């Protein structure tokens, strides 16, 4: 069960917005076979321009889901954040299921029937070295602490970023002992 903790900054959280958030977060449970016993941390902020921002973080054992969205309508912002969280779940489904099946081949971490688009998983045996997926993205300037937070938010073991201080490309990674490492380029 995902329990929801809502905190408002410069806004009183009404029963209506609380109920809307709880209903939307509860719908994320359909993506899991065994619903994780965790908390969804929700921050609602309203700035002087009356534009609302909703942040939802759901830490789990092997994955941290996090998304934020700003909008003039808080209900719309909640809906957009839930859409982002669903995309994150879909993105990590294959990776998490593959790792989980290596430990327990009979079970899935994610509920496959909740995914309508029929995603196929690569069941390669790992003997051949083949690049089966390529990505292009823009590196954002940040410091190493922010990069570690981003890496954890995405549930990855490494994260590539432009170091704000050195203006070079750097990589943070999670070591086997649970600590973090940093690779800097010249």
């Amino acid at each position: 069960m995902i329990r929801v903790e809502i905190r408002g900054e410069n806004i009183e959280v009404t029963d209506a917005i609380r109920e809307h958030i709880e209903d939307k977060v509860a719908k994320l449970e359909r993506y899991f076979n065994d619903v994780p016993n965790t908390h969804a941390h929700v921050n609602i902020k309203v700035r002087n321009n009356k534009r609302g921002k909703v942040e939802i973080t759901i830490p789990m054992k092997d994955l941290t889901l996090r998304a934020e969205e700003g909008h003039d309508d808080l209900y719309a912002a909640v809906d957009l954040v839930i859409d982002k969280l669903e995309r994150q779940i879909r993105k990590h489904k294959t990776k998490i299921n593959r790792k989980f099946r290596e430990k327990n081949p009979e079970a899935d971490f994610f509920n496959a029937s909740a995914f309508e688009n029929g995603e196929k998983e690569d069941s390669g045996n790992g003997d051949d070295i083949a690049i089966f997926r390529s990505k292009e993205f823009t590196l954002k300037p940040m410091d190493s602490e922010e990069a570690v937070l981003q890496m954890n938010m995405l549930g990855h073991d490494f994260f590539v970023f432009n170091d704000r201080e050195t203006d070079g490309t750097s990589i943070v990674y999670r070591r086997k002992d649970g600590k973090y490492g940093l690779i800097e380029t010249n």
Side-chain angles (χ1 to χ4, degrees):
M1 181 173 140
I2 301 176
R3 291 179 299 283
V4 181
E5 297 174 358
I6 303 173
R7 193 180 92 200
E9 292 182 27
N10 299 329
I11 185 173
E12 180 181 337
V13 180
T14 64
D15 289 340
I17 191 73
R18 178 179 301 279
E19 186 175 314
H20 183 74
I21 292 170
E22 288 173 348
D23 289 346
K24 291 294 184 173
V25 170
K27 289 182 181 179
L28 293 176
E29 293 178 0
R30 70 185 172 112
Y31 287 102
F32 302 95
N33 283 335
D34 295 320
V35 178
N37 190 16
T38 188
H39 287 82
H41 304 284
V42 181
N43 287 330
I44 303 172
K45 301 176 184 175
V46 176
R47 300 292 177 215
N48 293 336
N49 62 2
K50 304 297 184 205
R51 185 171 171 87
K53 183 168 124 179
V54 177
E55 301 172 2
I56 300 179
T57 304
I58 306 173
M60 292 183 269
K61 181 181 177 205
D62 295 323
L63 176 68
T64 297
L65 301 171
R66 184 185 181 287
E68 66 180 61
E69 188 67 46
H71 200 280
D72 293 333
D73 178 8
L74 282 178
Y75 293 94
V78 170
D79 293 344
L80 292 169
V81 167
I82 294 298
D83 289 345
K84 284 183 176 182
L85 292 172
E86 287 179 334
R87 281 193 302 271
Q88 286 180 22
I89 291 171
R90 284 188 178 100
K91 179 179 175 183
H92 296 293
K93 172 190 175 277
T94 301
K95 177 182 173 187
I96 299 299
N97 271 344
R98 186 177 301 129
K99 285 184 176 181
F100 192 69
R101 274 196 307 271
E102 288 172 3
K103 296 176 185 170
N104 184 358
E106 302 299 318
D108 281 342
F109 181 74
F110 286 106
N111 181 4
S113 65
F115 297 91
E116 296 87 12
N117 62 1
E119 297 175 21
K120 300 291 183 200
E121 296 182 32
D122 178 29
S123 59
N125 58 12
D127 293 341
D128 298 330
I129 297 175
I131 297 173
F132 63 92
R133 186 171 176 193
S134 177
K135 289 185 180 181
E136 283 187 21
F137 55 92
T138 304
L139 298 179
K140 296 185 176 156
M142 60 182 72
D143 58 26
S144 58
E145 288 181 17
E146 185 178 350
V148 169
L149 292 173
Q150 289 289 324
M151 175 183 68
N152 289 335
M153 177 193 72
L154 295 171
H156 290 178
D157 295 323
F158 69 94
F159 190 81
V160 181
F161 65 101
N162 273 345
D163 194 315
R164 186 177 289 139
E165 295 173 13
T166 65
D167 204 34
T169 303
S170 297
I171 303 168
V172 292
Y173 62 95
R174 184 176 300 106
R175 297 164 33 107
K176 289 182 181 178
D177 63 2
K179 297 179 182 175
Y180 300 104
L182 173 66
I183 300 173
E184 298 176 317
T185 59
N186 292 331

